[in-house]
Amino acid sequence: QVQLVESGGGLVQAGGSLRLSCAASGRTFSNYAAAWFRQAPGKERDFVASISRGGSVTRYADAMKGRFTISRDTAKNTVYLQMNSLKPEDTAVYYCATVLARGGETPTSYGTYDYWGQGTQVTVSS
């Protein structure tokens, strides 16, 4: 079992920045790939970014490249999402997710992930 707790969401003006955190507990988190997804009202849950279990490989949705950075701190069992140059269209609930994976794997599909956090709201005003 892996438990995930997200934090760091809030209200920010366009062009601002936020840093989301996802604290993991339970089994050996270092063996799990991790990802961030987001979901706006009335829309499907979309892939944002993923990171391999070793932290050396990352993947981003095209809309996030150059603005968002995913990272992880092994000692703290925490995954981060640094979001810069935020736009109103980034407004959504952001979810952290993990799945048991081999080294280098960075899944992007919603159905691939087994464990999910409760989500944290990010609102970007124009």
Side-chain angles (χ1 to χ4, degrees):
Q1 294 288 333
V2 176
Q3 295 177 320
L4 306 174
V5 179
E6 297 141 316
S7 62
L11 175 64
V12 64
Q13 292 189 350
S17 299
L18 285 174
R19 180 170 173 261
L20 307 183
S21 298
C22 174
S25 63
R27 305 180 73 172
T28 307
F29 187 59
S30 61
N31 291 330
Y32 290 76
W36 291 92
F37 290 77
R38 70 185 186 184
Q39 187 169 24
K43 297 183 179 179
E44 296 182 347
R45 190 169 298 188
D46 294 326
F47 169 75
V48 174
S50 59
I51 188 167
S52 64
R53 69 182 197 179
S56 61
V57 183
T58 59
R59 180 180 292 183
Y60 300 90
D62 289 341
M64 290 75 179
K65 280 198 169 186
R67 299 191 300 124
F68 292 7
T69 302
I70 188 171
S71 62
R72 67 194 304 167
D73 187 326
T74 302
K76 298 180 66 175
N77 256 15
T78 302
V79 178
Y80 303 96
L81 183 68
Q82 178 66 46
M83 305 185 294
N84 300 323
S85 302
L86 284 164
K87 306 174 181 178
E89 50 263 44
D90 294 320
T91 296
V93 176
Y94 284 71
Y95 298 90
C96 181
T98 66
V99 64
L100 186 65
R102 289 177 287 274
E105 294 181 336
T106 53
T108 62
S109 299
Y110 172 89
T112 301
Y113 287 86
D114 295 321
Y115 304 98
W116 294 83
Q118 82 286 356
T120 184
Q121 176 71 47
V122 172
T123 303
V124 184
S125 62
S126 60

